[in-house]
């Protein structure tokens, strides 16, 4: 039988490219960035879980509670019509002080001349801001602009949230979110990492979300718990996980940049750390991107 003629396209591919293609086709893993130690990886994983999993769950949770409180205060105190000096100054049995600085552009327009402030509360989002420090109140809705520090503050200050949820939220805020925001990598050992994930999970179960939302959120948390294990286990992670981590770093970077400029200057450290990690992962993916571009160029040349 005659030997089949060589495939002209295959023959035209250079030896270097052929080796590169074989690596992509036969290797399902690639080594993680060498200058990310395990503590940095744990810190990054917790940041992803806080921002992309827990915060969306908390937004779902707080929205109806604050909205119902707003409806009640419309009836009891007509807070959409109130004026100085008869406006509602404190709330609840704890006599929580209500801060009107962050709504209706009060401070921006009038500084601290409080007699000139507009005390009318026009919606539930503005109501929630009264319970927070002004630097936390830059959000415009219960959406991506409303970060975990604001959400934890609402849950802590508003007595309509169950005590067990308040306690769990305060624990996550003080021992997970705040430690993450301080950007001290040395505290993120294996024990701290495992405990933090468990605290986040425990809080999610206390939010009384509908079954579908809870299932989806817990599955996402479990996915990152598994991804974190792969990330920490040794010298290899999948291409897909590497790409997803890069995407999550980008999301966290955007968040940290906004917070560091508008609210918490300490977040500058978080922003800097994430920039360094982004660069590390960018270098990590360059070999694959180069090969993909080479393949695409070679394919066009051979057409």
């Amino acid at each position: 039988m005659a030997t089949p003629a060589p495939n002209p396209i295959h023959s035209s591919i250079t030896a270097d490219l052929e080796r590169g293609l074989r690596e992509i086709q036969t290797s399902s893993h690639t080594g993680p960035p060498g200058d990310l130690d395990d503590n940095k990886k744990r810190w990054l994983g917790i940041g992803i879980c806080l921002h992309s999993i827990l915060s969306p769950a908390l937004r779902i949770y707080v929205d109806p509670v604050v909205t119902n409180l707003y409806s009640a205060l419309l009836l009891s105190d007509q807070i959409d019509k109130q004026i100085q000096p008869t406006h509602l100054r404190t709330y609840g049995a704890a006599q929580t002080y209500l801060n009107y600085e962050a709504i209706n552009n009060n401070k921006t327009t009038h500084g601290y001349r409080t007699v000139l402030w507009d005390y009318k509360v026009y919606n539930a989002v503005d109501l929630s801001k009264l319970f927070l420090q002004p630097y936390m109140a830059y959000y415009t809705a219960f959406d991506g602009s409303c970060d975990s520090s604001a959400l934890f503050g609402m849950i802590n200050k508003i007595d309509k949230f169950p005590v067990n949820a308040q306690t769990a939220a305060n624990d996550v805020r003080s021992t997970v979110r705040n430690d993450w925001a301080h950007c001290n990598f040395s505290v993120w050992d294996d024990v701290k990492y495992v405990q933090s994930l468990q605290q986040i999970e425990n809080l999610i179960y206390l939010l009384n979300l509908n079954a579908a939302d809870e299932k989806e959120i817990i599955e996402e948390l479990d996915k990152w718990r598994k991804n974190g294990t792969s990330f920490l286990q040794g010298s290899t992670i999948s291409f897909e996980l590497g790409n997803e981590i890069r995407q999550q770093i980008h999301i966290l970077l955007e968040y940290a940049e906004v917070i560091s400029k508008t609210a918490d200057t300490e977040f500058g450290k978080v922003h800097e750390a994430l920039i360094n990690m982004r660069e590390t992962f960018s270098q990590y993916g360059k070999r694959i991107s180069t090969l993909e571009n080479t393949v695409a160029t070679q394919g066009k040349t051979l057409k």
Side-chain angles (χ1 to χ4, degrees), residues 5 63 67 295:
D63 191 343
T67 298
V295 170

Side-chain angles (χ1 to χ4, degrees), residues 162-229:
V163 173
N164 60 350
Q166 287 181 319
T167 301
N170 287 337
D171 286 345
V172 173
R173 178 181 63 176
S174 62
T175 65
V176 182
R177 193 271 176 189
N178 287 354
D179 283 350
W180 182 83
H182 291 155
C183 206
N184 180 2
F185 299 124
S186 65
V187 305
W188 290 101
D189 58 18
D190 187 59
V191 173
K192 173 78 169 175
Y193 178 73
V194 171
Q195 288 178 342
S196 296
L197 289 174
Q198 190 60 56
Q199 285 177 269
I200 291 171
E201 180 176 335
N202 292 344
L203 175 56
I204 290 170
Y205 279 124
L206 290 173
L207 301 182
N208 290 324
L209 305 175
N210 67 55
D213 284 338
E214 182 181 277
K215 181 176 183 293
E216 180 180 353
I217 291 164
I218 292 297
E219 285 177 351
E220 190 69 11
L221 183 65
D222 285 341
K223 183 188 81 173
W224 279 102
R225 181 183 277 119
K226 180 180 178 182
N227 285 345
T229 300

Side-chain angles (χ1 to χ4, degrees), residues 9 12 39 63 76 91 96 118 130 154 188 211 222 233 235 256 270 275:
I9 295 179
S12 65
N39 282 24
D63 191 343
S76 64
Y91 166 79
T96 300
D118 181 358
L130 304 187
M154 293 176 218
W188 290 101
D222 285 341
Q233 265 181 344
S235 60
V270 174
I275 287 176

Side-chain angles (χ1 to χ4, degrees), residues 216-271:
E216 180 180 353
I217 291 164
I218 292 297
E219 285 177 351
E220 190 69 11
L221 183 65
D222 285 341
K223 183 188 81 173
W224 279 102
R225 181 183 277 119
K226 180 180 178 182
N227 285 345
T229 300
S230 299
F231 197 19
L232 291 162
Q233 265 181 344
S235 60
T236 61
I237 61 173
S238 68
F239 292 145
E240 292 80 5
L241 176 55
N243 286 333
E244 188 159 7
I245 291 173
R246 282 194 291 273
Q247 291 170 7
Q248 289 294 333
I249 289 174
H250 179 73
I251 292 169
L252 280 171
L253 257 174
E254 290 184 334
Y255 161 64
E257 184 172 9
V258 170
I259 297 299
S260 63
K261 288 181 178 178
T262 61
D264 188 351
T265 55
E266 285 294 310
F267 252 71
K269 297 177 183 177
V270 174
H271 187 253

Side-chain angles (χ1 to χ4, degrees), residues 7 16 31 41 63 70 82 84 86 101 105 141 148 157 171 191 197 215 220 243 249 261 263 277-278 282 289:
N7 184 310
D16 287 344
K41 293 174 186 176
D63 191 343
Y70 179 70
Q82 63 183 2
Q84 203 271 351
T86 58
E101 177 180 327
N105 292 315
S148 58
K157 294 292 187 180
D171 286 345
V191 173
L197 289 174
K215 181 176 183 293
E220 190 69 11
N243 286 333
I249 289 174
K261 288 181 178 178
M277 290 182 181
R278 179 182 64 182
S282 294
S289 296

Side-chain angles (χ1 to χ4, degrees), residues 89-108:
R89 296 173 181 270
T90 61
Y91 166 79
Q95 293 290 291
T96 300
Y97 172 73
L98 300 179
N99 190 342
Y100 291 84
E101 177 180 327
I103 69 168
N104 301 328
N105 292 315
N106 280 332
K107 184 182 177 184
T108 301

